[in-house]
Amino acid sequence: MPPKKPTTLTPDSPVYALPGISETRAALFAKLGIETLSDLCRHYPRTYENRGKTTTVAEALESGCNHGEPVSLVLTIGTQPKVTTIRRGMVLTRFTAFDETGTVQITYFNQPYLRDAFAVGASHRFFGRCEKTTGGRLSMTSPKHEPLNAADPGDGSTLPAIYPIYRVTSGLTQKLIAQSVERALAVVYPADREIPDPLPQMLLEEQNLCGRRYAAVNIHIPENEAALDAARKRLIFEELLLFALGLRQRRARKELRTAIPMTAPDMAPFYDALPYALTGAQMRSIGEFLHDMTEKPSPMNRLLSGDVGSGKTVCAAAALYIALKNGYQAALMAPTEILATQHYEDLAPLFETLGFDCALLVGSTKAKEKTAIKSRLADGTLPLVIGTHALLEDNVVFANCGLVITDEQHRFGVGQRAALAKKAENVHTLIMSATPIPRTMALMLFGDLEMSVLDEMPPGRQKVSTFAVDESYRERLNGFIRKQAEEGHQTYIVCPAIDEADEEMDGLGGETVQDDRPTMKAAVAYAKTLAEEIFSDLPVGFLHGKMKPAEKDAIMHRFSTGEILILVSTTVIEVGVNVPTATLMVVENAEYFGLSQLHQLRGRVGRGRDKSWCILVSDNKGETARQRLEIMCKTNNGYEIAERDLELRGPGDFFAANPDGISYDVRQSGGLRFAIASFCDDMEFLQRAFCAADEIAAFDPMLEKPENVLLREAMEQRFGVVVL
Ligand code: ADP
Ligand code: MG
């Protein structure tokens, strides 16, 4: 027996409480991160369809079928729908419909019941892509359809103009989500009661923003374009304001703590132990750590940002050395076992030379050894540990930890970082990030951290030669890959792919929303062709997003030893993975990647002595696509690329969550996702939200004044109680 549905609904009621949502469906909603009615209200549309702008049949033909974009037509049904079975499992429903300017042939697949939905002479609005038949007529396949209301003057004006399109998951339709959202809105924002607005009235006026209920409703069910725009502005502003306030509050809280006292050691032995001289940027960063750790009253709380290969590890080592020399223990945590092991292999010999013992603690460390490491951490006899999440386990206790460093921070959740820091009071923290990020964005995203930037590469780095090519180069490209393999060098082939399970289903017609991205199936098929036909005599490996970490690690390991020479991957190759003998990065359908993603991918090669290449394959002839790939060919500087990326794509992409984690989703951690900011393409507007937060925080950093209490509640609700 399923549990009884509650009768009174509140914003915190589970979605299961709504009609039409079974337990099974509720589980699907949970997959989208939706548990409660409030969550539903915050499940903002991914995009919108504007069906209000209708055209005529003649106009549609004239415009070359609107260049492949969907059109909205108001048509009268001309012929009785005819259902024919063309083969087993394939039923067509066909009819014609017309307006004053022409006739359209309309076809639906496998929906025979539609025969009764269209009566001759009735008017409907149809929305979808159209095509010109060989006979010069217009045709539509599976358009969305809505009957005109009796009161409609004939132009569809009584129907809603703008339709929300939601992120869905298989088993949930657009229609069900839209309906549920509408029901949730009625509960969370009841029409008969005023819901207090967390943004102070003054601020709304000053920033020219609409009220909360108006925004909440119009983001889902917009009255018109202007209403949608107002709603969007208000919600972006609110979300970013709350986020910025959270950062400011976290910073204020940290500044209240007293640092573990340290003094500046003689760094000469450390520098002498290195096989190379440090760059100016590395020296500057180490100077900043030294200042933070020895001269400031509150603990170090710093981000070290540097492009791939800029030499962050040795800077981290310097910070570790400062802590160790002061008699404290230190920990370095990496997001994967491979990365942790690489750090260990780099750093253990260095610290041994310097007289400090170092251990590696990862998931696969033998139980006996784990126990030994833990007991030595607890009694203080082990000064330095490098590891993965294994370091977070409750029974890992430090005797006197003074510094915690996390590498590639964006792979960790805020909560995890907090757990590690909690292992020692007032510990100094350093976070390393390999995502080059424009200064303006960094100030916003990392407003709670001090920043050190490695904007200079160690000398002698060779440039990865980058070329953008189209399909006509395929033969030559395959020859080139073969040549690399014959010389014993590895090649990465990266294909963007979406998983069909996550494809969007449309609620009205039941057909799939058009998405031109290659599917996972296509990627698997391509990998198979490469392995079994084109390179059948060479070892080809396949890595995809749905693999378990251990499986991925195993494949990566075989690739790094050269047992696999060609690695086809639909997923991110771990940031930071080092395979110095890999010399070629091929990116298929390169137009689907952001510039910064491409830059990250390119950073996987050119890590050894051998000349390396990056080939960006794209058949997209569009101007922007071409421009973007050209930037990649021109420069290897990650910060320059990030700036151009910001210009070309707008700031929204920085805030958008990317499940694969190679773009700027630096703050997409601990379940934190920006629900709305990804809609934002206006940098100035974004900055306004952050400035407003600074003004509020300057007077009331902990948001304790009565006028800010609602703000604080909203912030805590949205981004969690600030832990650090
Ligand atoms: P990342 O910033 O990507 O983590 P690493 O710290 O792994 O970069 O450094 C990349 C490579 O550069 C390593 O092999 C490291 O030994 C080397 N390296 C770092 N600093 C210097 C330097 N100042 N001069 C020469 N080589 C350096
Ligand atoms: Mg690194």
Side-chain angles (χ1 to χ4, degrees):
M1 274 280 283
K4 229 178 124 200
K5 300 222 177 205
T7 41
T8 39
L9 296 180
T10 70
D12 294 328
S13 297
V15 288
Y16 171 71
L18 292 178
I21 300 187
S22 60
E23 272 179 288
T24 324
R25 277 185 173 162
L28 295 174
F29 275 98
K31 251 174 88 178
L32 293 172
I34 303 168
E35 309 269 356
T36 66
L37 301 192
S38 287
D39 295 342
L40 252 181
C41 293
R42 263 201 311 273
H43 187 64
Y44 299 129
R46 181 174 66 79
T47 183
Y48 300 85
E49 280 172 3
N50 192 344
R51 301 189 204 162
K53 275 196 206 126
T54 53
T55 77
T56 64
V57 174
E59 279 165 352
L61 276 171
E62 235 161 71
S63 65
C65 294
N66 202 20
H67 314 286
E69 294 301 314
V71 293
S72 194
L73 295 165
V74 172
L75 304 171
T76 306
I77 308 302
T79 60
Q80 181 67 35
K82 221 164 116 186
V83 178
T84 42
T85 304
I86 53 170
R87 60 180 154 80
R88 245 170 97 115
M90 179 62 85
V91 179
L92 297 186
T93 306
R94 313 186 78 161
F95 56 93
T96 60
F98 61 90
D99 67 10
E100 284 151 18
T101 66
T103 305
V104 186
Q105 176 74 52
I106 297 177
T107 309
Y108 288 93
F109 292 107
N110 289 339
Q111 296 176 73
Y113 49 85
L114 283 181
R115 177 178 26 205
D116 306 322
F118 302 104
V120 173
S123 294
H124 290 256
R125 185 167 74 182
F126 292 93
F127 180 83
R129 293 187 191 176
C130 57
E131 278 177 5
K132 199 168 164 176
T133 64
T134 39
R137 278 222 286 189
L138 206 61
S139 78
M140 289 178 108
T141 306
S142 304
K144 292 168 188 172
H145 54 91
E146 305 152 276
L148 257 49
N149 295 322
D152 199 291
D155 57 0
S157 55
T158 60
L159 294 173
I162 304 172
Y163 281 74
I165 304 288
Y166 293 98
R167 204 157 49 80
V168 299
T169 188
S170 57
L172 289 183
T173 60
Q174 289 289 345
K175 197 169 174 177
L176 179 72
I177 294 186
Q179 260 172 11
S180 308
V181 164
E182 213 170 324
R183 290 186 170 125
L185 283 170
V187 175
V188 180
Y189 299 96
D192 58 348
R193 210 157 14 94
E194 204 38 62
I195 300 296
D197 195 320
L199 300 195
Q201 192 57 36
M202 276 254 293
L203 188 63
L204 292 183
E205 279 164 28
E206 200 179 280
Q207 301 288 342
N208 199 13
L209 299 170
C210 69
R212 183 178 229 197
R213 177 196 289 145
Y214 183 86
V217 172
N218 278 282
I219 198 72
H220 290 288
I221 314 162
E223 273 169 38
N224 49 44
E225 296 262 5
L228 175 58
D229 197 50
R232 203 185 256 160
K233 274 219 164 79
R234 145 81 204 217
L235 292 171
I236 292 171
F237 192 92
E238 176 182 320
E239 183 162 69
L240 292 171
L241 182 83
L242 297 179
F243 173 65
L245 285 170
L247 290 183
R248 303 300 183 264
Q249 193 172 108
R250 189 188 312 198
R251 179 180 202 144
R253 218 167 268 190
K254 279 185 197 162
E255 278 167 1
L256 291 176
R257 294 182 317 183
T258 320
I260 292 172
M262 293 192 185
T263 55
D266 175 14
M267 294 297 287
F270 178 79
Y271 297 135
D272 289 346
L274 300 177
Y276 44 74
L278 295 177
T279 65
Q282 287 172 319
M283 289 303 285
R284 191 184 60 228
S285 299
I286 295 171
E288 287 160 354
F289 306 162
L290 204 54
H291 174 82
D292 284 3
M293 294 170 76
T294 65
E295 285 173 50
K296 292 217 320 198
S298 54
M300 171 161 80
N301 185 30
R302 188 171 280 278
L303 176 81
L304 174 62
S305 147
D307 207 344
V308 175
S310 58
K312 292 182 288 294
T313 318
V314 69
C315 297
L320 295 171
Y321 184 71
I322 297 168
L324 297 175
K325 271 306 213 190
N326 274 276
Y328 290 96
Q329 290 171 299
L332 171 60
M333 183 165 85
T336 65
E337 203 157 323
I338 296 188
L339 289 174
T341 308
Q342 265 174 16
H343 279 318
Y344 176 76
E345 283 164 2
D346 279 355
L347 296 181
L350 172 66
F351 280 98
E352 195 168 321
T353 317
L354 294 166
F356 295 101
D357 200 6
C358 172
L360 176 69
L361 185 66
V362 293
S364 67
T365 305
K366 296 215 174 59
K368 213 168 129 195
E369 206 183 328
K370 262 189 194 162
T371 315
I373 292 173
K374 285 175 191 170
S375 91
R376 293 183 60 211
L377 284 174
D379 67 17
T381 51
L382 178 63
L384 178 58
V385 67
I386 294 175
T388 52
H389 304 80
L391 288 175
L392 296 174
E393 284 165 27
D394 278 343
N395 57 6
V396 178
V397 180
F398 292 85
N400 64 340
C401 185
L403 169 70
V404 167
I405 302 181
T406 46
D407 191 10
E408 320 291 4
Q409 169 58 26
H410 60 289
R411 286 306 190 93
F412 288 107
V414 170
Q416 289 174 327
R417 202 210 299 169
L420 188 59
K422 249 191 269 166
K423 297 208 172 285
E425 285 287 294
N426 301 344
V427 72
H428 295 288
T429 54
L430 178 67
I431 293 158
M432 295 194 268
S433 163
T435 317
I437 179 165
R439 182 113 202 114
T440 38
M441 290 310 293
L443 285 175
M444 295 183 189
L445 290 168
F446 295 111
D448 59 332
L449 301 171
E450 310 281 341
M451 283 255 290
S452 294
V453 180
L454 294 184
D455 48 9
E456 182 186 348
M457 282 287 174
R461 254 324 119 68
Q462 47 163 317
K463 219 177 138 223
V464 176
S465 299
T466 306
F467 299 95
V469 304
D470 60 24
E471 277 305 322
S472 65
Y473 282 75
R474 183 62 66 187
E475 289 274 296
R476 273 202 261 172
L477 177 56
N478 286 343
F480 193 55
I481 295 170
R482 178 170 291 280
K483 186 161 157 272
Q484 299 304 311
E486 280 163 3
E487 289 171 8
H489 292 311
Q490 295 95 320
T491 293
Y492 295 97
I493 301 177
V494 175
C495 318
I498 48 164
D499 188 349
E500 284 94 306
D502 297 334
E503 264 180 63
E504 327 254 332
M505 295 297 288
D506 169 66
L508 285 169
E511 83 271 32
T512 301
V513 165
Q514 305 265 355
D515 187 329
D516 299 332
R517 278 178 302 170
T519 59
M520 191 66 117
K521 227 187 279 161
V524 174
Y526 179 55
K528 224 172 141 205
T529 315
L530 287 178
E532 292 171 8
E533 292 168 32
I534 301 168
F535 301 119
S536 57
D537 53 330
L538 295 169
V540 179
F542 184 47
L543 201 68
H544 64 80
K546 293 276 149 86
M547 276 180 179
K548 296 206 180 69
E551 282 177 277
K552 281 195 212 175
D553 280 4
I555 298 224
M556 274 317 291
H557 181 74
R558 288 171 57 207
F559 184 66
S560 68
T561 58
E563 198 188 317
I564 290 174
L565 284 171
I566 298 169
L567 182 67
V568 187
S569 167
T570 66
T571 179
V572 188
I573 298 134
E574 291 301 345
V575 173
V577 159
N578 199 20
V579 182
T581 46
T583 50
L584 178 56
M585 167 62 67
V586 177
V587 185
E588 301 285 349
N589 297 92
E591 72 273 17
Y592 290 110
F593 289 95
L595 284 184
S596 301
Q597 291 178 310
L598 290 175
H599 180 66
Q600 289 281 0
L601 289 172
R602 177 168 62 184
R604 300 303 103 212
V605 296
R607 300 169 82 85
R609 258 172 277 121
D610 304 289
K611 170 92 193 106
S612 297
W613 290 269
C614 174
I615 312 286
L616 306 171
V617 187
S618 170
D619 246 5
N620 190 307
K621 301 285 186 291
E623 179 63 16
T624 1
R626 204 187 46 75
Q627 242 182 2
R628 292 171 68 239
L629 297 185
E630 214 159 79
I631 295 166
M632 289 303 298
C633 299
K634 254 191 223 142
T635 178
N636 267 259
N637 181 328
Y639 287 90
E640 197 178 320
I641 288 168
E643 293 283 355
R644 294 302 306 275
D645 204 14
L646 180 60
E647 274 169 40
L648 287 170
R649 293 203 298 173
D653 276 293
F654 285 81
F655 289 97
N658 169 350
D660 262 347
I662 39 174
S663 87
Y664 291 107
D665 57 324
V666 262
R667 283 290 169 166
Q668 202 274 90
S669 38
L672 176 100
R673 246 176 202 261
F674 286 89
I676 187 87
S678 51
F679 280 134
C680 185
D681 51 11
D682 182 353
M683 193 69 194
E684 219 179 282
F685 183 71
L686 224 79
Q687 271 161 336
R688 248 169 53 199
F690 279 82
C691 284
D694 278 340
E695 273 170 35
I696 295 170
F699 288 103
D700 186 15
M702 303 317 259
L703 303 177
E704 286 158 337
K705 300 217 163 86
E707 67 270 27
N708 292 330
V709 165
L710 283 177
L711 260 181
R712 192 183 67 219
E713 277 173 21
M715 183 197 81
E716 285 172 356
Q717 202 185 31
R718 181 69 188 84
F719 291 109
V721 180
V722 180
V723 266
L724 268 180

